[in-house]
Amino acid sequence: MIFFSKFQNCSSNFRLFASFLYDGGLLSATMATDRSKIIPPPDLVVQKFTESRAPELESLYSTIATRLTNNFKSQRNKRRRTTSYDNQASKTRFRKKQKFGVSNQNNDVNSEKQVKKAPPRHIRRRKELNENPKNGFCTSGNGTKRLRTHVWYAKRFTMITRWGFHLPLGLHGRGRGSRALLKWLKNGTVVHDASYYSAVQLEGSQDSILSILSIVMSPFPPSDAENVISGGIYATSMLHHSETPNSHTIAPVIYMWRPNQKSIDESEDHLKVNKGQTFRQLWIWIHAAALTEGYNALKNACESQGKVNEDVDSVKCISLEGQFGTLEVMGSKASHLLHKILNPVSIMSSRITSIMENEDDTSCCEVIPLVVNDPRVLTNNTEFDSSYTELWDANKGLFSPVEESVLCMEKHHQRLLSFCLTNKTSNDNNTPTTKMESSRFCPIILLKRNNLKDHSITRWTIILPLTWVKAFWIPLISNGAQAIGLRERSWVSCEAGIPSFPSEFPECDPYTSLKEAEASTIDEQASLRPVSMKPFDIPILPPWNCIQLAYGSNPNPNEPIPLQSNMVVARSARMLTGFLNTINDNHLLLFPHDKIKNTSILSKIIKDEKILDQVPNTSTFLENGSRKKLCFVRVVLRAYKEGVIEDGALVCAPSMDDIKLWTSGSNKKVDLQIPQSVMANYFVKEDSGKWKLQVPEDPAAMESNRWPIGFVTSGFVRGSKKPVAGGLCDAVLLAHIRHEQWSCVPLKKRKKEVYVLTRNLRSTSYRLALLSIVLEQQEEDLDHI
């Protein structure tokens, strides 16, 4: 050991030679016994070995010291960036930045007037991005919030600023990659960090909370109210203001009740309020684009109820923004991946196993609370300690995960132990310790969402503390999940036929803000092009008011109906039925699912010969212009034989001659177009910035004109084998078109689908498509992505 202490400053070449000599001596001693049986020792004590070889090492040291004249410093021309031992900062710029803040020994210690400089920006940014505060989002200089996965996303994705967050738009490139995404969904798993969703908590008596929900939610109560109130499943609804019964819609929300359970301590004061009413908690999850408006609406409703009913304690409305993270996991192998990542404690392991293995038997919308081990650790604990806190008790404080440095050191010691390179009896005092209260167990809530497409693509949502997002994100990615951004997420929703918020909710204010931001970006990009290459302008925000011009339904086309105050989007069969009752036309050829719950009943209605005699004449109703409101329903469009439907395309009413051109069975290509001059001026931008439909006056243009009845909100996904598009169309106009088509075809050729025409805004050609009304296939259209 004395010998090795003298060689601390020797060159690296000599260290290699001494190591080689040591290995050679050990190998020769081992081979001397039996060359056929070379068995390495289980433990090697270096100190005893060096003591037995001390004379040989001393002689070697004297020989080398004579040759080097006792100068064991490495030659300057042989040095290769080995100045890390020196406390003095290098003269180069790189070394100055890397060693910033280290004291210079040559500085005068008595100089107190020296001003301490701030660290460089890249050092401050690295420290800031590596922080993991207990709650709240980290923000940039301008106040924009960052996700906990911001560093991972920013290195691989194109980032945009939207809804007050730095969010990943999509992979770098021209916005393609949908074919690869569809393969991931079909054969693997995709994951998205949706932590920009936040929860608003309502606390109070159960009756008081239900009273508030009945005011601000529509539809309410849910179909399976008993299971929702018990906390077994979650429900979806549309949140709106509570001033009037038909007030403005805010956003679609997901809400869930805390399951009834006794307190951990002996007291049960938190379960009771005055007059023996049960104390409950409710979470309402709102998108970041509508969080402020939604929270204010809920808070005003709670305050109004407290003023009206003074005998009952008012419901508390608490914003939980910045406390929880949300991870969306989708794909055919999503359940398999979650079963691999989520390792619950022993008392819950059997439940998660049964859920994943019997996935088809698990009901949709199920709420599954779990306590899982840290997915980063190598070995899982079977029993959790007293640091466990339920996710619903976030206001009491949740423990953060163990720091990465501690886990890395533990993994390092385990590797050394597996190679018998550490002394089992010694304690390592260099093991880093965490500075905050941490735990190796994480409480989560797992939501079983509705399956996508043909029920082969599963969809899960993980709700967890915000500090644990990075701890779950890396294991998900390392085990094969593909991360996606907002663009890929919208492709998933379109492929599955599920609306995406806010791009498919025109009745909400975030939709208008999103479209205006997209239009501003497109105008900015177009301004960089020369005049000869600029495309003509098209409305990014569809002029929904132009729907009222179809069939002369508006007697004053120069005075369009205001959009927000007179536009209704039926998101449930009950809402559609209620609208039809208000206009006294509940006998229109519309079949909401709450009335026709069986497809066989609908088939009988289609084949009924007297059904058309029972339906009033919608042409007279439209021409009178008596409609004061436009009711839209979401539809699914499929191209008939050919054509690609793009986002923002027009959905138009066809004539019977148009339908016969495509359905006649002829191989001749149908060419139904509008003139090029009409296409460029079909929509005119007014001085106010709004778009207006320019009704053609030329007889030739009028002959090719087809009245719009709706717009496409999500176009085809490239690479899909069965592409579908989503849109919104006027319900009354759809009933009128269905009446026309059923009247002109034989009884056996009637279809529940409606033939419509679609035209992309930069195209002159019409294409035939088959339209299906969503509320005729399901009772609610509230599920969203």
Side-chain angles (χ1 to χ4, degrees), residues 26-201:
L26 175 64
L27 182 62
S28 61
T30 307
M31 294 178 64
T33 57
D34 189 356
R35 292 181 177 271
S36 61
K37 297 180 180 180
I38 302 177
I39 302 175
D43 292 324
L44 179 64
V45 181
V46 180
Q47 184 176 2
K48 293 182 179 180
F49 178 76
T50 53
E51 290 177 356
S52 61
R53 303 293 299 273
E56 299 179 14
L57 295 176
E58 288 291 345
S59 61
L60 177 62
Y61 171 75
S62 60
T63 303
I64 296 177
T66 304
R67 293 181 181 180
L68 298 178
T69 63
N70 291 326
N71 184 12
F72 294 99
K73 292 183 179 181
S74 60
Q75 299 180 10
R76 184 170 293 274
N77 61 338
K78 298 293 182 64
R79 292 178 181 176
R80 295 294 183 267
R81 298 180 181 268
T82 58
T83 59
S84 59
Y85 65 91
D86 193 1
N87 289 331
Q88 295 183 354
S90 176
K91 294 182 180 180
T92 61
R93 182 184 178 189
F94 177 78
R95 291 296 179 186
K96 282 183 178 180
K97 289 183 177 181
Q98 195 159 5
K99 292 179 174 291
F100 191 88
V102 181
S103 61
N104 192 347
Q105 296 178 356
N106 296 329
N107 291 340
D108 188 7
V109 293
N110 296 325
S111 59
E112 299 179 355
K113 297 183 179 181
Q114 291 183 352
V115 180
K116 186 177 180 180
K117 295 182 179 179
R121 180 181 181 274
H122 78 278
I123 294 179
R124 288 185 280 111
R125 178 176 172 81
R126 184 184 306 166
K127 180 181 178 181
E128 179 183 351
L129 294 177
N130 289 333
E131 291 179 351
N132 191 25
K134 276 193 172 183
N135 49 35
F137 294 98
C138 299
T139 58
S140 56
N142 58 359
T144 307
K145 303 170 188 175
R146 296 191 185 102
L147 302 175
R148 294 301 168 95
T149 56
H150 174 81
V151 177
W152 192 96
Y153 265 124
K155 292 180 179 180
R156 300 163 178 87
F157 283 68
T158 301
M159 306 296 291
I160 59 171
T161 302
R162 186 171 290 176
W163 311 312
F165 283 87
H166 290 294
L167 298 178
L169 176 62
L171 294 170
H172 295 299
R174 298 180 297 169
R176 303 297 178 90
S178 57
R179 290 177 175 83
L181 173 68
L182 297 178
K183 290 181 180 178
W184 295 339
L185 278 175
K186 184 179 179 180
N187 303 319
T189 308
V190 297
V191 61
H192 177 74
D193 185 4
S195 298
Y196 45 86
Y197 275 86
S198 297
V200 176
Q201 180 172 290

Side-chain angles (χ1 to χ4, degrees), residues 644-650 712-716 718 725 760-762:
V644 175
I645 304 176
E646 298 177 352
D647 187 8
L650 280 169
V712 175
T713 55
S714 59
F716 282 179
R718 296 178 182 271
N760 298 327
L761 295 182
R762 297 190 185 276

Side-chain angles (χ1 to χ4, degrees), residues 545-678:
N545 291 333
C546 70
I547 306 301
Q548 61 188 313
L549 302 178
Y551 299 100
S553 58
N554 183 19
N556 299 318
N558 294 327
E559 298 179 2
I561 302 174
L563 176 63
Q564 297 291 349
S565 60
N566 294 278
M567 180 181 181
V568 177
V569 179
R571 297 291 178 179
S572 67
R574 283 184 287 175
M575 292 179 63
L576 179 58
T577 303
F579 172 78
L580 296 178
N581 292 333
T582 56
I583 62 174
N584 298 323
D585 275 326
N586 52 356
H587 294 291
L588 291 176
L589 292 181
L590 295 174
F591 311 105
H593 194 267
D594 60 341
K595 292 184 177 181
I596 313 297
K597 296 186 177 181
N598 195 342
T599 56
S600 60
I601 299 177
L602 181 58
S603 301
K604 292 180 180 180
I605 295 176
I606 295 174
K607 305 300 181 182
D608 188 2
E609 297 180 355
K610 299 180 181 181
I611 185 65
L612 297 180
D613 299 335
Q614 303 173 3
V615 177
N617 189 359
T618 55
S619 300
T620 306
F621 172 74
L622 294 173
E623 292 174 359
N624 291 336
S626 59
R627 287 200 302 163
K628 296 182 180 180
K629 286 203 173 199
L630 301 177
C631 180
F632 289 86
V633 291
R634 197 171 71 88
V635 298
V636 176
L637 299 164
R638 293 176 175 83
Y640 185 84
K641 291 186 178 180
E642 62 179 359
V644 175
I645 304 176
E646 298 177 352
D647 187 8
L650 280 169
V651 182
C652 302
S655 64
M656 292 307 302
D657 295 335
D658 299 336
I659 299 175
K660 292 178 181 178
L661 288 176
W662 269 280
T663 59
S664 60
S666 175
N667 294 328
K668 185 178 179 180
K669 185 177 181 180
V670 181
D671 191 15
L672 180 61
Q673 296 183 346
I674 60 174
Q676 185 74 25
S677 58
V678 175

Side-chain angles (χ1 to χ4, degrees), residues 30 92 125 155 305 345 404 471 478 536 610 673 725 770 774:
T30 307
T92 61
R125 178 176 172 81
K155 292 180 179 180
Q305 187 199 52
V345 294
E404 191 70 27
S478 301
F536 62 88
K610 299 180 181 181
Q673 296 183 346
L770 285 172
V774 175

Side-chain angles (χ1 to χ4, degrees), residues 263-281:
S263 175
I264 297 177
D265 53 9
E266 296 179 357
S267 64
E268 296 184 358
D269 296 336
H270 75 294
L271 295 176
K272 299 291 183 181
V273 292
N274 57 353
K275 294 187 178 181
Q277 296 180 349
T278 306
F279 178 87
R280 298 296 304 274
Q281 287 177 284

Side-chain angles (χ1 to χ4, degrees), residues 452-454 493-498 634-646 650-651 662-663 712 714-717 720-727 729 751-758 767-774 777-778:
L452 306 180
K453 208 65 176 174
D454 54 353
S493 66
C494 182
E495 178 68 11
I498 299 176
R634 197 171 71 88
V635 298
V636 176
L637 299 164
R638 293 176 175 83
Y640 185 84
K641 291 186 178 180
E642 62 179 359
V644 175
I645 304 176
E646 298 177 352
L650 280 169
V651 182
W662 269 280
T663 59
V712 175
S714 59
F716 282 179
V717 179
S720 176
K721 294 183 178 180
K722 296 180 180 180
V724 294
C729 295
K751 294 183 177 182
K752 64 178 180 179
E753 294 88 359
V754 181
Y755 286 108
V756 293
L757 295 177
T758 61
R767 291 288 183 264
L768 189 67
L770 285 172
L771 179 146
S772 301
I773 301 176
V774 175
Q777 303 173 3
Q778 57 194 43

